[in-house]
Amino acid sequence: MCYYDTAEHLGSTGKALAIAAETFDSVEVAAPRLTDAINLHSSEYPRSHTFSQIRLATLTMKIGDPRQAVEIGMDSLTHSRGLYSTRIATELRGLATAASRHRRISEVRELREAIATTTSPRSSS
């Protein structure tokens, strides 16, 4: 449990509150915790940092500003490179799914394409 610090707590509770945020159609229910987690995660925990980014991007894509979600999502893609995590890839695919309803926005299409490239079986070999 040595890794369980304030950043990890905020990320975990932010993840749990994301469900409530969707129910109440208010990104603010969970976004502050996820944002604080992103800012507090040390460089020793890149996976936790990336999970929080992807979750914030997904939540923002679902009920917030899709262009802001693209910025967060692209940053999470940058951080995901080199992690080789099935769970990260699954979360990224969830972001792409959430983004599908905004696919008419060119930046969203670019994010979805970047996720597809990053999570394809060929890119992980």
Side-chain angles (χ1 to χ4, degrees):
M1 292 297 289
C2 64
Y3 71 91
Y4 197 84
D5 58 8
T6 301
E8 192 68 26
H9 177 75
L10 290 167
S12 295
T13 55
K15 175 186 176 184
L17 285 171
I19 298 164
E22 288 183 53
T23 300
F24 292 111
D25 195 32
S26 173
V27 79
E28 290 305 311
V29 171
R33 286 179 186 250
L34 291 168
T35 300
D36 287 347
I38 292 163
N39 293 331
L40 291 173
H41 277 299
S42 71
S43 60
E44 295 174 16
Y45 301 106
R47 283 188 66 203
S48 296
H49 179 267
T50 304
F51 274 126
S52 292
Q53 283 185 305
I54 297 167
R55 291 171 181 150
L56 179 59
T58 301
L59 177 64
T60 306
M61 189 65 75
K62 287 179 177 179
I63 62 173
D65 177 2
R67 286 180 175 85
Q68 181 184 15
V70 167
E71 290 178 32
I72 301 164
M74 286 297 208
D75 198 33
S76 73
L77 270 174
T78 299
H79 287 106
S80 74
R81 291 190 178 100
L83 293 178
Y84 307 108
S85 166
T86 302
R87 288 182 53 216
I88 292 280
T90 299
E91 292 278 339
L92 285 168
R93 287 186 200 100
L95 172 55
T97 299
S100 66
R101 71 181 207 164
H102 300 291
R103 63 183 166 265
R104 285 186 225 112
I105 301 171
S106 62
E107 299 94 335
V108 172
R109 281 194 310 273
E110 291 169 15
L111 174 64
R112 293 183 75 221
E113 290 169 10
I115 290 170
T117 300
T118 300
T119 61
S120 74
R122 285 181 278 143
S123 69
S124 59
S125 49

